[in-house]
Amino acid sequence: MGELVIVAIGGNALVKENGRDSIQDQYEAVKETVSHIADMIEEGYKVVVTHGNGPQVGFAMRRCEIANEITGMPTIPLVNCVAETQGGIGYQIQQALTNEFAKRGMKQKVASVITQVEVSIDDPNFQNPTKPVGSFFTLEQAEAMKTEHPDWVMVEDSGRGYRRVVPSPRPIDIIEKDAIKSLIDSGYVVIAAGGGGIPVVKTGDNAYDGIDAVIDKDFATSLLAEQIQAETLIITTGVPRVCINFGKSNQKALEQISIEETKQYIAEEHFAKGSMLPKIEASLSFLEKSGSRVIITNPESLKDAVNNQAGTHIVK
């Protein structure tokens, strides 16, 4: 059996640009991304796929609000919007992978697991929301949204505009991890923990309740990788390699760095809090607990990156 690799696809990677965010546009982006994942599988790697849902869950929430404002239809809780986008994006990835395998004459099977992820009701992020969701807005649009929805929290996101933020507690446990392991052992390519997983809290007697939040997909992916004993974690992003001094004249792309070097770069504040920093922190969590290596790269470089020819590699 090949090396077990878990690949995290960003939700923003499925929305290429503003104005091209329909379901069909998203599916075209999914097809492009899974072709690179299929390259890895064709080389013998066992793969689990996770994905983000930041833009998509924001769209779902806004559709609910508009339907409520115009027709009086009941709104849908955020936790249900997370579940719906997990299922919808998982379906697209599952279908696109199945079709890609058929095109290549590959025998692999694909399954999506609707995944619940336990969080703590006492997590401080419930009092201090930090997770960006939905579309990017100009400052003027953001101020208009804030006037229309006084309870919304809007923040500037990595120089790309303003977005709404919602609670993003840290994941504690992947509820369906044993089912995911079983599918991997049966030869399936598994799609799991979509959108960071559906956030749930334990209520006693091993019962769970959903709670309104969006878990960061990189932290959920790191935890899942640990719990299924994956050797390699790959986090895809919009750039082929992580850079320090990003956007400056002395910008430098990183090829291979140690845990200690990574921590030094964090201390020097090289990584933006709203974008690269969570990926780096999730990477370190995985390496310090169980993993062998983390690769951060863009989807187009996946095949080369897993073969040590591209991407930023964080190693022990």
Side-chain angles (χ1 to χ4, degrees):
M1 298 290 283
E3 178 182 345
L4 178 57
V5 178
I6 187 163
V7 179
I9 303 169
N12 286 317
L14 307 181
V15 179
K16 294 295 188 182
E17 58 187 83
N18 281 340
R20 293 200 60 196
D21 45 24
S22 71
I23 296 297
Q24 188 56 42
D25 289 330
Q26 181 174 285
Y27 188 55
E28 293 303 315
V30 166
K31 288 195 294 183
E32 180 181 333
T33 297
V34 303
S35 69
H36 305 302
I37 295 173
D39 289 340
M40 296 171 49
I41 296 166
E42 202 165 29
E43 291 206 348
Y45 291 97
K46 295 186 294 181
V47 173
V48 173
V49 180
T50 69
H51 61 83
N53 70 342
Q56 294 81 6
V57 79
F59 300 157
M61 292 164 65
R62 186 66 185 133
R63 280 194 293 269
C64 294
E65 288 153 359
I66 292 170
N68 176 259
E69 291 164 8
I70 294 175
T71 70
M73 289 184 67
T75 57
I76 299 174
L78 172 56
V79 64
N80 290 74
C81 290
V82 173
E84 289 184 2
T85 53
Q86 183 186 108
I89 298 170
Y91 150 69
Q92 289 190 320
I93 297 171
Q94 177 175 304
Q95 185 179 86
L97 267 174
T98 300
N99 292 347
E100 185 69 23
F101 292 154
K103 186 170 71 175
R104 298 183 187 210
M106 296 167 65
K107 302 296 185 183
Q108 275 78 4
K109 301 168 288 185
V110 190
S112 299
V113 178
I114 298 299
T115 313
Q116 301 172 95
V117 175
E118 183 184 353
V119 300
S120 170
I121 190 68
D122 298 319
D123 191 295
N125 211 268
F126 284 111
Q127 280 70 52
N128 181 32
T130 58
K131 176 65 177 175
V133 297
S135 302
F136 291 90
F137 298 101
T138 65
L139 176 60
E140 293 74 18
Q141 289 172 322
E143 288 174 342
M145 288 283 186
K146 189 82 173 110
T147 301
E148 186 179 349
H149 302 278
D151 58 328
W152 284 20
V153 179
M154 304 289 289
V155 300
E156 196 277 329
D157 183 5
S158 306
R160 293 174 289 178
Y162 288 79
R163 297 175 80 189
R164 182 181 177 184
V165 291
V166 299
S168 182
R170 291 292 181 98
I172 297 172
D173 187 32
I174 309 294
I175 307 301
E176 285 76 25
K177 57 185 176 292
D178 291 338
I180 295 165
K181 286 181 192 174
S182 180
L183 285 164
I184 296 166
D185 292 342
S186 297
Y188 280 82
V189 177
V190 183
I191 302 149
I198 302 163
V200 297
V201 293
K202 193 170 281 186
T203 60
D205 298 325
N206 291 320
Y208 295 96
D209 276 344
I211 190 166
D212 284 343
V214 176
I215 301 167
D216 184 277
K217 74 101 174 44
D218 295 316
F219 286 115
T221 302
S222 173
L223 178 60
L224 176 61
E226 175 194 342
Q227 293 189 333
I228 63 173
Q229 292 89 51
E231 289 99 327
T232 296
L233 165 61
I234 302 180
I235 299 176
T236 67
T237 185
V239 292
R241 284 194 167 104
V242 179
C243 295
I244 56 173
N245 302 311
F246 185 74
K248 300 177 182 177
S249 59
N250 59 341
Q251 176 176 309
K252 177 186 175 183
L254 303 173
E255 294 186 16
Q256 180 168 304
I257 52 177
S258 67
I259 291 175
E260 291 71 24
E261 288 172 309
T262 306
K263 288 181 176 178
Q264 181 63 36
Y265 290 138
I266 292 174
E268 293 170 357
E269 299 185 347
H270 281 287
F271 307 124
K273 290 182 179 179
S275 55
M276 190 57 70
L277 183 59
K279 295 174 174 54
I280 297 294
E281 291 176 335
S283 300
L284 293 181
S285 176
F286 172 64
L287 288 172
E288 291 179 331
K289 290 176 181 173
S290 67
S292 299
R293 62 172 175 165
V294 174
I295 304 169
I296 302 177
T297 192
N298 55 358
E300 303 93 304
S301 303
L302 276 173
K303 181 181 177 180
D304 288 338
V306 81
N307 290 312
N308 297 305
Q309 295 171 351
T312 295
H313 294 242
I314 307 175
V315 296
K316 290 186 176 180

Tab-separated table of all heavy atoms in Angstrom, residues 240-276:
chain	number	residue	atom	x	y	z
A	240	PRO	N	2.683	28.812	-5.223
A	240	PRO	CA	3.419	27.548	-5.283
A	240	PRO	C	4.285	27.277	-4.064
A	240	PRO	O	4.532	26.123	-3.717
A	240	PRO	CB	4.275	27.689	-6.550
A	240	PRO	CG	4.349	29.154	-6.821
A	240	PRO	CD	3.077	29.739	-6.295
A	241	ARG	N	4.755	28.350	-3.406
A	241	ARG	CA	5.563	28.196	-2.196
A	241	ARG	C	5.212	29.298	-1.192
A	241	ARG	O	4.782	30.397	-1.568
A	241	ARG	CB	7.060	28.277	-2.512
A	241	ARG	CG	7.639	27.023	-3.171
A	241	ARG	CD	9.158	27.029	-3.142
A	241	ARG	NE	9.674	25.717	-3.492
A	241	ARG	CZ	10.212	25.417	-4.681
A	241	ARG	NH1	10.284	26.350	-5.617
A	241	ARG	NH2	10.669	24.201	-4.915
A	242	VAL	N	5.404	29.001	0.080
A	242	VAL	CA	5.264	30.005	1.131
A	242	VAL	C	6.426	30.987	1.020
A	242	VAL	O	7.560	30.588	0.727
A	242	VAL	CB	5.274	29.333	2.529
A	242	VAL	CG1	5.164	30.385	3.626
A	242	VAL	CG2	4.157	28.307	2.632
A	243	CYS	N	6.138	32.267	1.257
A	243	CYS	CA	7.185	33.286	1.187
A	243	CYS	C	7.312	34.026	2.509
A	243	CYS	O	6.328	34.202	3.237
A	243	CYS	CB	6.881	34.302	0.087
A	243	CYS	SG	6.901	33.608	-1.582
A	244	ILE	N	8.516	34.458	2.813
A	244	ILE	CA	8.704	35.437	3.878
A	244	ILE	C	8.928	36.793	3.217
A	244	ILE	O	9.288	36.871	2.038
A	244	ILE	CB	9.881	35.077	4.812
A	244	ILE	CG1	11.181	34.894	4.022
A	244	ILE	CG2	9.558	33.814	5.600
A	244	ILE	CD1	12.410	34.695	4.911
A	245	ASN	N	8.657	37.851	3.975
A	245	ASN	CA	8.700	39.217	3.435
A	245	ASN	C	7.792	39.335	2.209
A	245	ASN	O	8.148	39.970	1.207
A	245	ASN	CB	10.142	39.623	3.080
A	245	ASN	CG	11.070	39.546	4.265
A	245	ASN	OD1	10.765	40.057	5.342
A	245	ASN	ND2	12.209	38.871	4.091
A	246	PHE	N	6.620	38.719	2.317
A	246	PHE	CA	5.706	38.636	1.170
A	246	PHE	C	5.329	40.023	0.661
A	246	PHE	O	4.968	40.919	1.426
A	246	PHE	CB	4.440	37.868	1.578
A	246	PHE	CG	3.485	37.621	0.452
A	246	PHE	CD1	3.773	36.678	-0.507
A	246	PHE	CD2	2.306	38.346	0.331
A	246	PHE	CE1	2.914	36.437	-1.578
A	246	PHE	CE2	1.434	38.121	-0.721
A	246	PHE	CZ	1.741	37.161	-1.675
A	247	GLY	N	5.433	40.193	-0.666
A	247	GLY	CA	5.057	41.451	-1.289
A	247	GLY	C	6.094	42.547	-1.190
A	247	GLY	O	5.875	43.662	-1.677
A	248	LYS	N	7.267	42.244	-0.585
A	248	LYS	CA	8.328	43.244	-0.432
A	248	LYS	C	9.467	42.949	-1.416
A	248	LYS	O	9.518	41.880	-2.037
A	248	LYS	CB	8.850	43.235	1.002
A	248	LYS	CG	7.778	43.556	2.045
A	248	LYS	CD	8.336	43.467	3.451
A	248	LYS	CE	7.251	43.748	4.495
A	248	LYS	NZ	7.764	43.605	5.886
A	249	SER	N	10.385	43.892	-1.529
A	249	SER	CA	11.497	43.731	-2.474
A	249	SER	C	12.392	42.559	-2.097
A	249	SER	O	13.058	41.975	-2.961
A	249	SER	CB	12.321	45.024	-2.532
A	249	SER	OG	12.826	45.337	-1.237
A	250	ASN	N	12.436	42.220	-0.813
A	250	ASN	CA	13.272	41.105	-0.353
A	250	ASN	C	12.451	39.833	-0.123
A	250	ASN	O	12.819	38.980	0.692
A	250	ASN	CB	14.032	41.478	0.918
A	250	ASN	CG	13.112	41.866	2.080
A	250	ASN	OD1	11.941	42.195	1.857
A	250	ASN	ND2	13.628	41.828	3.293
A	251	GLN	N	11.318	39.700	-0.834
A	251	GLN	CA	10.503	38.484	-0.723
A	251	GLN	C	11.353	37.254	-1.055
A	251	GLN	O	12.123	37.251	-2.012
A	251	GLN	CB	9.309	38.575	-1.669
A	251	GLN	CG	8.453	37.321	-1.711
A	251	GLN	CD	7.222	37.485	-2.593
A	251	GLN	OE1	6.479	38.455	-2.448
A	251	GLN	NE2	7.006	36.552	-3.509
A	252	LYS	N	11.151	36.190	-0.253
A	252	LYS	CA	11.920	34.958	-0.462
A	252	LYS	C	10.996	33.756	-0.345
A	252	LYS	O	10.274	33.615	0.637
A	252	LYS	CB	13.043	34.850	0.578
A	252	LYS	CG	13.849	33.559	0.489
A	252	LYS	CD	14.841	33.463	1.627
A	252	LYS	CE	15.567	32.113	1.616
A	252	LYS	NZ	16.496	31.975	2.768
A	253	ALA	N	11.022	32.892	-1.358
A	253	ALA	CA	10.236	31.657	-1.329
A	253	ALA	C	10.980	30.598	-0.535
A	253	ALA	O	12.197	30.440	-0.667
A	253	ALA	CB	9.970	31.177	-2.751
A	254	LEU	N	10.245	29.862	0.291
A	254	LEU	CA	10.837	28.842	1.155
A	254	LEU	C	10.647	27.466	0.525
A	254	LEU	O	9.531	27.080	0.169
A	254	LEU	CB	10.174	28.878	2.534
A	254	LEU	CG	10.230	30.222	3.275
A	254	LEU	CD1	9.396	30.158	4.547
A	254	LEU	CD2	11.679	30.598	3.596
A	255	GLU	N	11.735	26.707	0.415
A	255	GLU	CA	11.668	25.370	-0.169
A	255	GLU	C	11.534	24.301	0.913
A	255	GLU	O	10.610	23.495	0.881
A	255	GLU	CB	12.892	25.116	-1.048
A	255	GLU	CG	12.939	26.015	-2.270
A	255	GLU	CD	14.078	25.667	-3.204
A	255	GLU	OE1	14.654	24.561	-3.072
A	255	GLU	OE2	14.403	26.498	-4.067
A	256	GLN	N	12.463	24.262	1.855
A	256	GLN	CA	12.374	23.308	2.962
A	256	GLN	C	12.796	23.995	4.242
A	256	GLN	O	13.848	24.642	4.291
A	256	GLN	CB	13.259	22.089	2.711
A	256	GLN	CG	13.184	21.063	3.857
A	256	GLN	CD	13.815	19.730	3.487
A	256	GLN	OE1	13.437	19.114	2.499
A	256	GLN	NE2	14.776	19.284	4.286
A	257	ILE	N	11.978	23.879	5.269
A	257	ILE	CA	12.267	24.508	6.554
A	257	ILE	C	11.959	23.529	7.676
A	257	ILE	O	11.117	22.642	7.545
A	257	ILE	CB	11.477	25.824	6.760
A	257	ILE	CG1	9.967	25.604	6.515
A	257	ILE	CG2	12.008	26.931	5.873
A	257	ILE	CD1	9.125	26.837	6.776
A	258	SER	N	12.645	23.711	8.791
A	258	SER	CA	12.436	22.868	9.962
A	258	SER	C	11.333	23.456	10.842
A	258	SER	O	10.895	24.590	10.636
A	258	SER	CB	13.734	22.772	10.770
A	258	SER	OG	14.031	24.053	11.333
A	259	ILE	N	10.910	22.687	11.820
A	259	ILE	CA	9.936	23.185	12.792
A	259	ILE	C	10.482	24.419	13.489
A	259	ILE	O	9.768	25.423	13.675
A	259	ILE	CB	9.585	22.079	13.808
A	259	ILE	CG1	8.783	20.968	13.129
A	259	ILE	CG2	8.812	22.656	14.997
A	259	ILE	CD1	8.495	19.782	14.030
A	260	GLU	N	11.756	24.385	13.873
A	260	GLU	CA	12.362	25.500	14.610
A	260	GLU	C	12.407	26.762	13.748
A	260	GLU	O	12.100	27.863	14.221
A	260	GLU	CB	13.781	25.121	15.068
A	260	GLU	CG	13.831	24.057	16.145
A	260	GLU	CD	13.454	22.667	15.649
A	260	GLU	OE1	13.581	22.405	14.421
A	260	GLU	OE2	13.019	21.831	16.472
A	261	GLU	N	12.787	26.610	12.480
A	261	GLU	CA	12.812	27.767	11.578
A	261	GLU	C	11.415	28.339	11.391
A	261	GLU	O	11.223	29.566	11.362
A	261	GLU	CB	13.380	27.351	10.221
A	261	GLU	CG	14.869	27.078	10.219
A	261	GLU	CD	15.336	26.495	8.901
A	261	GLU	OE1	14.736	25.507	8.435
A	261	GLU	OE2	16.298	27.044	8.333
A	262	THR	N	10.431	27.453	11.272
A	262	THR	CA	9.048	27.892	11.091
A	262	THR	C	8.579	28.716	12.277
A	262	THR	O	7.938	29.767	12.119
A	262	THR	CB	8.129	26.678	10.890
A	262	THR	OG1	8.631	25.875	9.816
A	262	THR	CG2	6.720	27.122	10.552
A	263	LYS	N	8.903	28.243	13.481
A	263	LYS	CA	8.511	28.983	14.689
A	263	LYS	C	9.176	30.354	14.736
A	263	LYS	O	8.568	31.337	15.195
A	263	LYS	CB	8.868	28.165	15.935
A	263	LYS	CG	7.971	26.948	16.133
A	263	LYS	CD	8.350	26.191	17.395
A	263	LYS	CE	7.392	25.028	17.642
A	263	LYS	NZ	7.773	24.235	18.851
A	264	GLN	N	10.405	30.442	14.252
A	264	GLN	CA	11.100	31.721	14.227
A	264	GLN	C	10.406	32.687	13.270
A	264	GLN	O	10.210	33.865	13.584
A	264	GLN	CB	12.558	31.522	13.805
A	264	GLN	CG	13.384	32.807	13.774
A	264	GLN	CD	13.508	33.465	15.138
A	264	GLN	OE1	13.593	32.784	16.160
A	264	GLN	NE2	13.482	34.795	15.170
A	265	TYR	N	9.985	32.183	12.110
A	265	TYR	CA	9.275	33.028	11.151
A	265	TYR	C	7.939	33.503	11.722
A	265	TYR	O	7.502	34.630	11.465
A	265	TYR	CB	9.053	32.284	9.842
A	265	TYR	CG	10.326	32.042	9.048
A	265	TYR	CD1	10.545	30.818	8.421
A	265	TYR	CD2	11.282	33.037	8.902
A	265	TYR	CE1	11.709	30.585	7.683
A	265	TYR	CE2	12.440	32.818	8.170
A	265	TYR	CZ	12.656	31.588	7.562
A	265	TYR	OH	13.790	31.378	6.839
A	266	ILE	N	7.267	32.631	12.496
A	266	ILE	CA	6.020	33.043	13.152
A	266	ILE	C	6.292	34.184	14.129
A	266	ILE	O	5.581	35.194	14.163
A	266	ILE	CB	5.363	31.856	13.879
A	266	ILE	CG1	4.843	30.821	12.875
A	266	ILE	CG2	4.210	32.342	14.779
A	266	ILE	CD1	4.319	29.556	13.521
A	267	ALA	N	7.353	34.028	14.929
A	267	ALA	CA	7.708	35.054	15.920
A	267	ALA	C	8.033	36.384	15.246
A	267	ALA	O	7.762	37.456	15.802
A	267	ALA	CB	8.893	34.583	16.753
A	268	GLU	N	8.579	36.311	14.035
A	268	GLU	CA	8.919	37.530	13.294
A	268	GLU	C	7.730	38.060	12.488
A	268	GLU	O	7.880	39.032	11.735
A	268	GLU	CB	10.093	37.227	12.353
A	268	GLU	CG	11.386	36.917	13.101
A	268	GLU	CD	12.480	36.377	12.179
A	268	GLU	OE1	12.211	36.201	10.969
A	268	GLU	OE2	13.593	36.126	12.679
A	269	GLU	N	6.563	37.418	12.641
A	269	GLU	CA	5.301	37.854	12.031
A	269	GLU	C	5.372	37.925	10.504
A	269	GLU	O	4.904	38.875	9.887
A	269	GLU	CB	4.853	39.198	12.623
A	269	GLU	CG	4.604	39.125	14.120
A	269	GLU	CD	4.053	40.424	14.697
A	269	GLU	OE1	4.096	41.459	13.992
A	269	GLU	OE2	3.589	40.399	15.839
A	270	HIS	N	5.928	36.867	9.908
A	270	HIS	CA	5.999	36.804	8.454
A	270	HIS	C	4.693	36.328	7.816
A	270	HIS	O	4.498	36.505	6.612
A	270	HIS	CB	7.127	35.859	8.023
A	270	HIS	CG	8.486	36.470	8.112
A	270	HIS	ND1	8.954	37.428	7.234
A	270	HIS	CD2	9.496	36.269	9.003
A	270	HIS	CE1	10.183	37.775	7.561
A	270	HIS	NE2	10.539	37.084	8.630
A	271	PHE	N	3.806	35.700	8.607
A	271	PHE	CA	2.623	35.053	8.028
A	271	PHE	C	1.354	35.788	8.440
A	271	PHE	O	1.114	36.022	9.628
A	271	PHE	CB	2.560	33.592	8.484
A	271	PHE	CG	3.831	32.822	8.229
A	271	PHE	CD1	4.491	32.179	9.263
A	271	PHE	CD2	4.378	32.760	6.957
A	271	PHE	CE1	5.661	31.482	9.044
A	271	PHE	CE2	5.553	32.065	6.717
A	271	PHE	CZ	6.206	31.426	7.762
A	272	ALA	N	0.534	36.137	7.446
A	272	ALA	CA	-0.687	36.910	7.694
A	272	ALA	C	-1.678	36.102	8.528
A	272	ALA	O	-1.923	34.915	8.254
A	272	ALA	CB	-1.320	37.314	6.369
A	273	LYS	N	-2.265	36.752	9.515
A	273	LYS	CA	-3.174	36.065	10.443
A	273	LYS	C	-4.404	35.510	9.741
A	273	LYS	O	-4.908	34.462	10.111
A	273	LYS	CB	-3.593	37.023	11.563
A	273	LYS	CG	-2.467	37.357	12.534
A	273	LYS	CD	-2.934	38.260	13.663
A	273	LYS	CE	-1.793	38.551	14.627
A	273	LYS	NZ	-2.210	39.446	15.741
A	274	GLY	N	-4.904	36.203	8.731
A	274	GLY	CA	-6.144	35.765	8.095
A	274	GLY	C	-5.969	34.736	6.997
A	274	GLY	O	-6.950	34.212	6.485
A	275	SER	N	-4.704	34.425	6.634
A	275	SER	CA	-4.522	33.524	5.495
A	275	SER	C	-3.470	32.459	5.759
A	275	SER	O	-3.794	31.292	5.984
A	275	SER	CB	-4.175	34.337	4.240
A	275	SER	OG	-3.035	35.155	4.470
A	276	MET	N	-2.175	32.832	5.756
A	276	MET	CA	-1.120	31.815	5.855
A	276	MET	C	-0.873	31.329	7.275
A	276	MET	O	-0.530	30.147	7.483
A	276	MET	CB	0.176	32.369	5.261
A	276	MET	CG	1.277	31.325	5.094
A	276	MET	SD	0.790	29.902	4.081
A	276	MET	CE	0.703	30.662	2.453
